[in-house]
Amino acid sequence: SVKNNMIGVQASGFVNIVGSKSKGGMLSGIANIVGKYSDGVMVSGLMNITSGYANGFQASGFANIVGRESNGVGIAGLMNISGKDMNGLHISGLANVTGRDQKGVVISGLMNATSHKANGLQIASIINIAGKENRGLQLSALSNVGVDVKGVQATALSNIAADTLRGFQIAGAVNIAVNSIKSFQIAGLANISQGKTTGMQLAPANYAGNLDGIQVGLLNMCDINSQGVQIGLINYSKDS
């Protein structure tokens, strides 16, 4: 079925196409395609595509694809893709991918990735990626990656804050941060903070570039010990 604006319910064995706005529900065996806005419910055996904004509920066996913002609930067997922002709850079997910000809860069987900010909860079996800022909780089995981390990263393997950590990193293996400001790192193997460290590191091995906090472990190392405390079997500071 092809219409300019659709208000109500459309059902098709093949495809539903709306040129501008869709308000209501569209049910298709293959695809639902909306040119501008989708407000309401779209259910498809293959995919839902909206070039502008999708508000409400989308369910697809393969993928939900939104050109700008996806607001509400998106459930896909493979992936949810939003060109700009993803707000609300999005669940996918493979990945949730956002061009700018993720706000709310995103749950994926493989990965969640946003190029800018992640505010809320990211849960993935493999990896969570926030290209700039993470505010909230990243929970994964393999790795969490953020630039400015202002929240919690928890994983079985490794957490990475590519710039500044202001929060918590909990890893089964390794935590890495460029700077750790008033933060807490706990790891099964090692904590690494390359620059300023004003929080606490707890692991068998800890390293800080400039220690102004506390290290607790078997091996504690730092290049500069400003006003820090090292508690362990072997404590080493390059400037002492």
Side-chain angles (χ1 to χ4, degrees):
S1 336
V2 180
K3 291 185 178 181
N4 186 32
N5 294 310
M6 191 279 290
I7 300 175
V9 177
Q10 279 188 319
S12 173
F14 179 62
V15 62
N16 293 309
I17 301 174
V18 177
S20 184
K21 298 178 181 180
S22 169
K23 295 183 178 181
M26 298 201 306
L27 177 67
S28 173
I30 300 296
N32 295 306
I33 302 171
V34 180
K36 194 172 182 181
Y37 298 101
S38 169
D39 296 318
V41 178
M42 296 201 304
V43 179
S44 172
L46 185 61
M47 66 176 61
N48 297 304
I49 302 172
T50 305
S51 66
Y53 297 84
N55 304 312
F57 175 76
Q58 291 184 313
S60 171
F62 178 67
N64 295 308
I65 302 171
V66 181
R68 288 181 64 82
E69 289 187 12
S70 176
N71 304 309
V73 179
I75 300 174
L78 188 61
M79 64 177 59
N80 294 303
I81 301 172
S82 178
K84 190 178 179 184
D85 294 340
M86 187 176 287
N87 305 313
L89 172 63
H90 290 77
I91 302 172
S92 73
L94 182 64
N96 294 303
V97 180
T98 309
R100 196 175 72 171
D101 295 344
Q102 286 180 349
K103 299 176 183 179
V105 178
V106 287
I107 302 172
S108 173
L110 182 63
M111 68 177 291
N112 297 303
T114 175
S115 66
H116 198 240
K117 295 180 181 179
N119 299 322
L121 175 62
Q122 289 183 316
I123 300 176
S125 63
I126 302 298
I127 188 170
N128 293 305
I129 301 171
K132 185 174 182 182
E133 184 178 277
N134 171 42
R135 291 176 178 262
L137 172 63
Q138 289 182 315
L139 180 63
S140 75
L142 184 62
S143 183
N144 296 305
V145 179
V147 178
D148 289 323
V149 177
K150 301 174 182 179
V152 179
Q153 293 180 315
T155 183
L157 187 60
S158 67
N159 294 306
I160 299 172
D163 191 347
T164 303
L165 170 68
R166 293 180 175 89
F168 295 86
Q169 287 183 323
I170 303 170
V174 180
N175 292 310
I176 299 172
V178 173
N179 296 288
S180 180
I181 308 300
K182 296 180 180 179
S183 301
F184 185 77
Q185 292 178 308
I186 180 170
L189 293 178
N191 294 308
I192 299 171
S193 178
Q194 295 177 334
K196 187 76 172 179
T197 303
T198 63
M200 183 175 183
Q201 294 179 316
L202 176 61
N206 298 298
Y207 169 79
N210 187 341
L211 180 63
D212 193 11
I214 301 173
Q215 291 179 322
V216 179
L218 298 176
L219 173 63
N220 299 308
M221 297 182 294
C222 67
D223 292 333
I224 301 172
N225 192 337
S226 298
Q227 294 179 348
V229 176
Q230 294 176 313
I231 303 171
L233 184 62
I234 301 174
N235 300 307
Y236 171 78
S237 176
K238 188 180 289 186
D239 66 348
S240 63

